[in-house]
Amino acid sequence: MGFLSVVSALSLLTSASAIGSSDFTFTRRRAVAPRSFEERAQTVLPAADFSVAVSGKAPRRKSKSAALTALRGRPFPSKPGSGGSDTVPVAGSDFDEEYLTNATVGGQPFSLIIDTGSSDTWVAQKGFNCFDLNGNPISEADCAFGTAGFDPTASKTFKPFPNVSFNITYGDGEFLSGPVGFDTVSVGGLTVKSQEIGVPNLAAWEGDGINTGLIGLAFPDLTSVYNTTNPQDASAANQLPYDPLFFTAVKERAVKNTFFSVALDRGSFEQQENDPYDPNLGFLSFGGIAPVPVTSTQVTIPVEGYSATTGIPSSAKGSPFFFYTVNVEKFTFPGSAGILTANNNTILDTGTTLDYVPTPVIKAFAKAFDPPATYSEEDELYLVDCTAKVPQFLVTIGGKEFSVDAKDQILPGGTDSNGKEICFLGTQDGGPDEADNIFILGDTFLHNVVATFNPIQGEITLTQRLPY
Ligand SMILES: *[C@@H]1O[C@H](CO)[C@@H](O)[C@H](O)[C@H]1NC(C)=O
Ligand SMILES: *[C@@H]1O[C@H](CO)[C@@H](O)[C@H](O)[C@H]1NC(C)=O
Ligand SMILES: *[C@@H]1O[C@H](CO)[C@@H](O)[C@H](O)[C@H]1NC(C)=O
Ligand SMILES: *[C@@H]1O[C@H](CO)[C@@H](O)[C@H](O)[C@H]1NC(C)=O
Ligand SMILES: *[C@@H]1O[C@H](CO)[C@@H](O)[C@H](O)[C@H]1NC(C)=O
């Protein structure tokens, strides 16, 4: 998710800085030995067992400031992809900032954000207390969940996990905490019987009136359950890492093959600007590759773990995994020659709307637009003329070049106070090119590929989609 992912990214930085301290231990390790380059090159992806349609809706953004606030101020959920045997349609909302999927938890239906940038699956609990981001109590309606919340007492399958707490803070300042339990979670034909979930009774959430929670698809070490009855006492020392939804699905043998896959469609410019709800914005699939037309450009790459001593990406044996971190070999665009564009600390994040690249990369890329894109101090974003000519943009991963469509580089930002249409760049500044700074390939990039994740093998397969 956009900021949600950024938040998760921030929480990684926190863990990384805590890594040197004596009370921090990693309890999960790389599940299997990495395969060789030759073995990976022979990866053949099966068709998905299940795919789900996704839908979502959100209030229209009338003003530029509302749109930009929305962009910065809340998680950018991702659409689920279907991989394996289940494929779900994904719907988008909030200028397609969010990819949502229908799911049931304990038989109760919810729309949930799909996020490869975090690991916890949670649904707000019925009767929860809503807070603003400063921690002041506000009315429940202001959290803008899509339902009154999950009712554990109405679920025949819910089992509480006593004496532990869920506690998560996302990068934009949204936070949730409360009890934990196990229940049956179903998404698009995939049913996981005993999934550990957060059922927060405290929420500071800037909702869209549709989602009531989130499905986290990243690694166990990034989960947020702690061995304490008081969520305020959560710390690295009492973290109880657990299996996220897809890991449980694999253990319960609910998928034939250990893949999940996302194909996230971009909405049209018109839809993004005017239509609050897109019922069908791609697929979340389980067990194989999401069912959309693709080209022959495909590569399978290892997920990068992180060093327990330095907190920077490491391929050493036993390095814990947090995110779907990849090694970007280069970005190519007019003017990119001579700039260091490689970065091995870049995550694939369905929950983040935009791409966030190192400062030198975005500075040069902004100049390549005609007219050039400019950085707005006020908005803290690169803005661009809505009719600007978009330069070609290629991302090289695993030796293969993946192109990003021009349509993903200019996004509608509503209108300013004079009624003038505002647009922002699909690629933004992710900060200085420092080893421990995490960069993001979000929906801007993901609209152009099918991303098929094999977290058990620690691999990702990227397949370029046919233009659409
Ligand atoms: C998701 O659920 C809502 C509410 O039940 C329904 O209106 C919508 O059609 C569903 N979307 C999909 C893609 O199944
Ligand atoms: C939970 O904590 C309470 C109080 O410390 C204790 O009495 C109880 O046995 C604990 N329950 C479990 C399942 O550990
Ligand atoms: C939580 O910590 C207590 C000791 O403080 C320990 O007895 C208990 O087994 C831990 N619970 C879990 C689920 O690890
Ligand atoms: C979550 O834990 C942190 C300490 O790690 C604490 O400062 C914060 O208040 C807790 N959040 C909630 C909502 O309890
Ligand atoms: C990633 O790059 C850093 C330098 O920025 C280097 O120290 C580290 O070893 C690299 N990690 C991997 C897995 O290539």
Side-chain angles (χ1 to χ4, degrees), residues 45-46 48-50 78-88 114-118 190 215-219 244-247 249-250 255 257-263 283-290 303 323-324 348 350 450-456 459-461:
L45 295 177
D49 302 325
F50 313 91
S78 57
K79 309 168 185 178
S82 61
S85 46
D86 264 309
T87 298
V88 231
I114 312 266
D115 188 19
T116 61
S118 69
L190 174 74
I215 295 176
L217 292 163
F219 289 89
L245 183 76
F246 189 71
F247 286 75
V250 170
V255 285
N257 299 294
T258 61
F259 302 104
F260 71 90
S261 181
V262 290
F283 298 100
L284 170 60
S285 298
F286 298 101
I289 186 168
V303 179
F323 298 104
Y324 292 102
L348 297 174
T350 59
V450 180
T452 305
F453 301 88
N454 185 340
I456 309 303
E459 291 179 353
I460 302 163
T461 300

Side-chain angles (χ1 to χ4, degrees), residues 161 164 227 240:
F161 186 176
V164 305
N227 188 355
L240 296 173

